[in-house]
Amino acid sequence: MQRRELPPFVVQANFAMFSRPDTKADRVSYMFPTPGALRGLLQAIYHKRNKATGKMVEVTPVKVEVLNEIQMQPIPQLRRKGIVVQADKRPPQSTARTGSTYLYDVRYRLHYIVEGEQILLDELETFIRTGAFYSAPYLGTRECLARIVPDEGAKPIRQTLVEAHMWLSNARPMSGKPGDPNFAVQPVLMQSGVVTYPKFTGEILSQRRWG
């Protein structure tokens, strides 16, 4: 097993939704990504398992550089394939989102620590370098398709803010059945456009079964 830092890479998307748990039907996004969303993005890009052990690469988001100004907009309906639908066109109810507030025109430089077999880590780096993926990557929810883009060296935005109640998930289950990650609420700071995620600590508030 190896543990290494991935070379930073940049992703871009028209929309992103990092849902706040206190919003229901009309969802509202956090102002920057959650660790769980970033873990899901990388696992969509590469989720190959070791044939002998059945284990996937373990992913820990470390830092995010926010490269575009934070912009939020309520969007009446958004299809899963990332197409904004006009008000006079009603998609099937199962793919519609009504009144949700999305981030839009987002671009992030992502930093990860990964752990796994060397052959898997090498292949993951190749996927990122070439823009390949197993499943279409997305930012938060599956309708918000993302893409890896060339890193042009842009600096993070000059903004500092705190998400006082961001839900963080533990990568390894602490209790309960296997596959039931625990969630806790912790403050997360973005300073001068750079978000550094704290280690998972604090009171466990709920458990969610991933199906």
Side-chain angles (χ1 to χ4, degrees), residues 114-200:
V114 291
E115 184 176 344
E117 300 295 332
Q118 179 178 345
I119 188 170
L120 297 183
L121 299 185
D122 291 344
E123 192 171 29
L124 169 58
E125 289 193 14
T126 300
F127 269 52
I128 291 171
R129 187 173 61 251
T130 61
F133 53 81
Y134 279 123
S135 302
Y138 56 90
L139 284 171
T141 51
R142 292 184 183 274
E143 66 265 28
C144 299
L145 297 182
R147 57 196 176 279
I148 298 174
V149 298
D151 191 343
E152 299 174 348
K155 294 183 178 180
I157 62 174
R158 300 179 65 181
Q159 185 176 358
T160 296
L161 56 87
V162 174
E163 284 284 12
H165 301 96
M166 179 170 281
W167 279 46
L168 305 180
S169 63
N170 184 29
R172 295 187 179 95
M174 295 173 59
S175 63
K177 298 179 180 179
D180 289 351
N182 299 289
F183 290 81
V185 173
Q186 292 180 225
V188 177
L189 171 68
M190 181 182 77
Q191 187 167 9
S192 299
V194 178
V195 183
T196 303
Y197 296 104
K199 293 183 179 180
F200 183 89

Side-chain angles (χ1 to χ4, degrees), residues 4-69:
R4 70 173 75 162
E5 184 174 350
L6 281 181
F9 62 98
V10 175
V11 297
Q12 181 173 314
N14 294 332
F15 299 97
M17 170 56 74
F18 310 114
S19 301
R20 301 181 64 93
D22 55 345
T23 60
K24 301 297 182 180
D26 294 339
R27 299 170 303 163
V28 178
S29 178
Y30 285 115
M31 289 182 282
F32 46 77
T34 62
L38 296 181
R39 195 176 298 120
L41 174 107
L42 198 60
Q43 288 174 342
I45 292 172
Y46 187 83
H47 49 254
K48 186 176 180 180
R49 294 181 181 272
N50 181 285
K51 291 183 178 179
T53 64
K55 292 183 178 180
M56 296 171 57
V57 172
E58 291 188 5
V59 177
T60 304
V62 177
K63 183 173 68 174
V64 172
E65 298 175 61
V66 180
L67 305 180
N68 285 0
E69 294 295 330

Side-chain angles (χ1 to χ4, degrees), residues 83-105:
I83 301 171
V84 179
V85 180
Q86 300 299 325
D88 59 346
K89 297 180 181 178
R90 295 186 173 230
Q93 188 64 31
S94 61
T95 61
R97 302 290 188 222
T98 59
S100 296
T101 301
Y102 289 77
L103 293 161
Y104 71 96
D105 188 24

